[in-house]
Amino acid sequence: DLIRIIIESSLDYLNDNHYLLIEAGPQQAEIIAGLMKSHGFEDVEISKDLAGRNRVTSGRKSGRYNNKI
């Protein structure tokens, strides 16, 4: 699935301690948060839109994570 590819690929491009933000449908926010956490992202949060629906999931690439293992 595309979001999984984006999360995995971002590890090659993001500097340590920089953030990835993904805007998606409200029903996908928790799934995206879980994917980010499983790929080593920290400080994962879900932000709401103006209507109060989950809209943006963000996470910080940990400086401890090394995807070249």
Side-chain angles (χ1 to χ4, degrees):
D1 102 297
L2 182 59
I3 291 177
R4 182 183 310 272
I5 292 169
I6 291 169
I7 292 170
E8 290 173 356
S9 298
S10 73
L11 296 170
D12 293 329
Y13 297 97
L14 283 175
N15 291 324
D16 291 346
N17 298 310
H18 286 205
Y19 284 81
L20 174 65
L21 289 85
I22 297 178
E23 181 179 3
Q27 66 280 10
Q28 295 176 300
E30 293 292 337
I31 296 167
I32 294 168
L35 285 170
M36 286 182 157
K37 289 176 185 176
S38 72
H39 283 84
F41 283 84
E42 297 179 344
D43 302 328
V44 176
E45 295 182 1
I46 298 170
S47 300
K48 297 188 181 299
D49 62 16
L50 294 177
R53 294 179 293 238
N54 292 340
R55 184 61 61 192
V56 176
T57 306
S58 62
R60 180 177 56 83
K61 179 183 174 187
S62 171
R64 296 177 290 167
Y65 183 78
N66 180 358
N67 68 327
K68 303 291 184 198
I69 298 172

